[in-house]
Amino acid sequence: MIPVTYYLVLSAVLFLVGATGVLIRRNAIIVLMGIELMLNGANLSFVAFARQFGMVDGHIYVFLVITVAAAEVAIGLALVILLFRNRGTVNIDEVRSLRW
Amino acid sequence: MELYFFLFFAIVAVASSVAMILQRNPIYCVLLLIMVMISIAGLYLMLDAQFVAIIQIVVYAGAIMVLFLFVIMLLNLSREEGGVFRIQKPLAVLLAALLFLPVAAMVMSYAGGGTTPPADGGGAGFGEVEQIGTLLFTKYLLPVEIAAVLLLIAIVGAVVLTRKGTVSVGE
């Protein structure tokens, strides 16, 4: 039996590493991947709590989070492709203007 | 024994994720993130969440990360150039350290928690597909339908955004 706190610490570490990745990287695709890592950290807490309390509801939330992540990635990568086509870069420092 | 498995998966996940945010080559980033996804799937299996573990591997490692890989190869990105925002790195580390405080406080506030599986062994058949399916189509029917519509919007949105010629951004 593993204390649920271990899972919480691991999920917090993954969340923070993901957040750091979002903040320090300049490549828009890697920033999206950092967001995926943060979502995974949150999912791990959901599943750990679901096991502790013996309720499957947490798994349903993880399922919905994965659905939202898939939708987010599809739209995000479409925007990245559009950005690359119009600007020739995916460096988010270069994308500063609100209009072209 | 269980603790060793936990430590193994946890160390693999944390090491790969740290390597991911430091890695310059985007393709290696994707492969490292797949490592993180697979070790998290192993942790899900330890938490008796078989359905979620399979979904994690099939949808995350199999579909979402391949989409990332596909876009990186489509755009032919090999290296990341430097930016114009010079103090980004120190500022980012500072902000992440600030974010550490509330997250650590939240974990600490739960320090008295129980164990997984719970001391009484938990319910029989926990995390099996039957139990999840029943919940999905009864209690959570509306959220599932909304998720389906969300996926439809994402599909249509992605196709409309990337269609050549019709969206006149910049021209």
Side-chain angles (χ1 to χ4, degrees), chain B residues 6 17 22 29 32 43 46 48 60 75-76 78 94-95 98 105 107 109 111-112 129 137 139 142-143 164-165 169:
Chain B
F6 174 82
S17 57
L22 298 175
C29 283
L32 286 165
L43 289 171
M46 287 178 57
D48 296 313
Y60 252 125
L75 301 184
N76 199 15
S78 53
L94 180 69
L95 285 175
L98 280 180
V107 172
S109 73
V129 183
F137 288 104
K139 190 177 172 189
L142 185 62
K164 264 192 180 125
V169 184

Side-chain angles (χ1 to χ4, degrees), chain A residues 1-10 12-27 29-30 32-34 36-41 43-44 47-57 59-75 77-82 84-86 89-94 96 100, chain B residues 2-3 6 10 13-14 17-18 20-21 23-24 26 29-30 33 36-37 40 43-44 46-49 51-52 55-56 59-60 64 67-68 71-72 74-75 77 80-85 88-89 92 95-96 99-100 103 107 110-111 114-119 121 126-127 131-132 135-136 139-140 143 147 150-151 154 157-158 161-164 169 171:
Chain A
M1 285 189 291
I2 298 172
V4 77
T5 318
Y6 289 12
Y7 284 102
L8 291 187
V9 170
L10 176 62
V13 168
L14 288 177
F15 184 86
L16 287 169
V17 171
T20 315
V22 169
L23 290 169
I24 67 173
R25 296 307 297 263
R26 293 193 173 93
N27 186 332
I29 296 176
I30 313 288
L32 278 174
M33 281 165 57
E36 294 302 311
L37 196 54
M38 291 167 78
L39 288 171
N40 267 285
N43 281 348
L44 188 59
V47 177
F49 279 128
R51 188 68 194 109
Q52 188 201 347
F53 296 115
M55 292 173 74
V56 192
D57 299 53
H59 296 186
I60 312 282
Y61 287 114
V62 172
F63 182 72
L64 294 174
V65 167
I66 291 178
T67 313
V68 172
E72 171 231 316
V73 165
I75 296 292
L77 289 176
L79 289 174
V80 168
I81 289 178
L82 206 61
F84 188 80
R85 206 181 277 163
N86 280 289
T89 179
V90 292
N91 189 331
I92 48 178
D93 275 11
E94 312 269 325
R96 284 174 294 175
W100 263 275
Chain B
E2 216 182 337
L3 189 65
F6 174 82
V14 172
S17 57
V18 170
M20 182 210 109
I21 66 167
Q23 178 57 246
R24 288 267 155 231
C29 283
V30 171
L33 193 53
V36 180
M37 301 295 178
I40 291 179
L43 289 171
Y44 288 165
M46 287 178 57
L47 289 166
D48 296 313
F51 176 71
V52 179
I55 289 288
Q56 173 89 2
V59 176
Y60 252 125
I64 296 184
L67 195 63
F68 273 109
V71 169
I72 287 172
L74 185 74
L75 301 184
L77 302 170
E80 185 173 328
E81 334 80 282
V84 288
F85 185 25
Q88 184 188 11
K89 284 242 163 81
L95 285 175
L99 186 62
F100 171 79
V103 173
V107 172
Y110 198 73
T115 56
T116 59
F126 176 83
Q131 224 177 352
I132 293 173
L135 265 185
L136 273 180
K139 190 177 172 189
Y140 290 98
L150 180 74
L151 282 176
L161 277 176
T162 49
R163 202 164 46 163
K164 264 192 180 125
V169 184
E171 272 84 37

